């Protein structure tokens, strides 16, 4: 525990209001942010990268955890001064960086600071860049140890949707081929300041030990884009440009199925057959 001002007091002291263009919906109740950190952890002895700390509610909960370091990446420079105050109680365990998380090279960020590359990502994601950031962390060269992410509910449901479900799609396949995925908790829109139009949920993704090579991951992105781009069509038609029936036979997938009927490991076979 520290004698920091409350999050509302901090926002007031710095004259800060949420900006829509940055997707800002804040969690000002530390009971909620502590719960997210408890469910997403443990982070014992590992660095955590937080995207979009804003006023720092999740950041404070992360700093109270056993994470070795918390590196926060914030695009809105208005919050840097407020966040730097967390260095008072937490010193070198905390660093805030001004930047766009879509462009950050996490591996470089960690090695430059002599931190373990086995870091976790925790974020109450800005809704407008949530999906591209997830795709970056899933398919990029750097592998986080785990990802604990707040999404709008609709996106969270797509990440964890099982085959055959209405929400099952490209994001479900890519996430589930590469990670074990769980929805940890739901949060109503009223938990945020200001409240967004939709409810939210926290998802935890843990990358699987066996990771397909980069070429297969690229193929997985292409094959799912083609299959779910025309999700009502049979695969022999939607995958025609990628090899159609011959590709499906090689991957031992029934050519009359539609995309939503093929489980993640079926798509992985298709991606491997494409190489
Ligand atoms: N973590 C805070 C909380 O829970 O109260 C704020 C969450 S708010 C939904 C999203 C935060 O991400 C905002 O602070 C916003 O400025 C920041 N942000 C938006 N786009 C970003 C980007 N591309 N890179 C880094 N931060 C970004």
């Amino acid at each position: 525990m520290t004698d920091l001002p409350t999050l509302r007091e901090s926002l007031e002291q710095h004259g800060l209001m949420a900006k829509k263009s940055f997707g800002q919906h804040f969690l000002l109740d530390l009971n909620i942010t502590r719960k997210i950190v408890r469910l997403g952890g443990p982070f014992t002895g590992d660095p955590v990268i937080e995207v979009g700390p804003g006023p720092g509610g999740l950041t404070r909960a992360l700093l109270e955890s056993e994470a070795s370091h918390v590196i926060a990446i914030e695009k809105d420079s208005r919050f840097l001064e407020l966040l730097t105050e967390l260095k008072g109680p937490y010193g070198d365990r905390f660093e805030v960086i001004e930047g766009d998380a879509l462009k950050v090279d996490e591996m470089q960020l960690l090695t430059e600071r002599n931190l373990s590359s086995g870091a976790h990502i925790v974020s109450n994601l800005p809704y407008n860049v949530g999906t591209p950031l997830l795709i970056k962390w899933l398919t990029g060269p750097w592998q986080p140890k785990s990802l604990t992410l707040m999404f709008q509910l609709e996106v969270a449901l797509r990440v964890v949707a099982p085959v055959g479900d209405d929400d099952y799609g490209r994001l479900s396949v890519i996430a589930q081929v590469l990670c074990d995925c769980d929805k940890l908790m739901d949060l109503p829109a009223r938990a945020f300041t200001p409240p967004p139009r939709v409810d939210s949920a926290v998802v935890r993704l843990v990358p699987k030990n066996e990771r397909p090579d980069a070429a297969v991951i690229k193929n997985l992105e292409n094959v799912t884009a083609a299959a779910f781009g025309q999700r009502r069509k049979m695969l022999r038609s939607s995958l025609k440009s990628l090899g159609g029936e011959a590709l499906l036979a090689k991957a031992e997938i029934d050519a009359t199925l539609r995309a939503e009927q093929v489980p993640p490991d079926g798509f992985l076979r298709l991606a491997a057959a494409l190489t």
Side-chain angles (χ1 to χ4, degrees):
M1 290 292 150
T2 63
D3 47 13
L4 287 164
T6 67
L7 292 160
R8 278 183 201 284
E9 285 165 353
S10 265
L11 283 169
E12 245 169 58
Q13 283 167 12
H14 291 267
L16 291 168
M17 305 271 283
K19 254 194 202 169
K20 218 174 168 185
S21 56
F22 283 107
Q24 291 175 346
H25 300 281
F26 303 134
L27 287 170
L28 301 181
D29 181 347
L30 287 176
N31 292 316
I32 294 179
T33 59
R34 285 178 183 135
K35 184 170 175 190
I36 295 169
V37 169
R38 195 173 66 244
L39 295 175
F43 304 116
T44 320
D46 293 330
V48 172
I49 299 176
E50 187 199 354
V51 167
L58 201 48
T59 324
R60 291 189 191 192
L62 286 167
L63 285 163
E64 287 171 8
S65 80
E66 293 183 342
S68 66
H69 296 83
V70 177
I71 303 181
I73 305 165
E74 175 56 64
K75 193 173 173 186
D76 185 349
S77 59
R78 297 179 307 148
F79 285 90
L80 298 187
E81 196 181 301
L82 176 158
L83 289 162
T84 304
E85 287 168 8
L86 291 176
K87 284 193 89 57
Y90 296 106
D92 288 345
R93 278 185 65 221
F94 176 63
E95 184 180 353
V96 58
I97 295 168
E98 182 182 354
D100 180 344
L102 280 168
K103 298 185 187 149
V104 165
D105 177 339
E106 294 86 359
M107 192 68 200
Q108 189 186 347
L109 191 83
L110 293 163
T111 41
E112 274 174 4
R113 288 160 180 77
N114 289 323
L115 295 175
S116 155
S117 62
H120 305 260
I121 296 267
V122 178
S123 178
N124 172 14
L125 287 168
Y127 287 166
N128 41 353
V129 287
T131 310
L133 275 171
L134 177 58
I135 295 288
K136 174 193 169 195
W137 292 321
L138 287 174
T139 63
W142 174 69
Q143 271 298 276
K145 217 165 169 177
S146 76
L147 302 123
T148 301
L149 306 171
M150 173 92 67
F151 287 107
Q152 56 200 100
L153 184 59
E154 177 222 328
V155 178
L157 291 175
R158 279 166 46 209
V159 171
V160 299
V163 59
D165 193 279
D166 282 349
D167 292 311
Y168 184 69
R170 192 169 176 233
L171 193 58
S172 331
V173 172
I174 296 173
Q176 293 170 32
V177 162
L178 300 171
C179 296
D180 294 317
C181 309
D182 288 299
K183 182 154 79 64
L184 298 180
M185 67 188 274
D186 291 321
L187 267 181
R190 65 170 184 281
F192 300 83
T193 305
R197 276 200 299 270
V198 291
D199 292 340
S200 296
V202 178
V203 174
R204 183 166 188 262
L205 302 99
V206 180
K208 294 182 179 171
N209 288 336
E210 297 225 348
R211 183 173 170 81
D213 65 38
V216 174
I217 294 177
K218 193 81 223 139
N219 289 345
L220 185 66
E221 293 187 74
N222 293 337
V223 84
T224 51
F228 286 101
Q230 298 180 290
R231 61 187 291 148
R232 300 276 156 226
K233 290 204 175 159
M234 288 184 198
L235 293 171
R236 68 173 168 221
S237 158
S238 58
L239 297 186
K240 204 163 208 158
S241 65
L242 296 176
E245 302 221 13
L247 173 74
L248 287 151
K250 197 171 163 199
E252 299 180 2
I253 305 280
D254 178 349
T256 65
L257 293 178
R258 283 167 308 184
E260 65 212 30
Q261 296 172 297
V262 179
D265 66 320
F267 277 104
L268 181 56
R269 289 207 303 281
L270 281 164
L274 252 181
T275 23

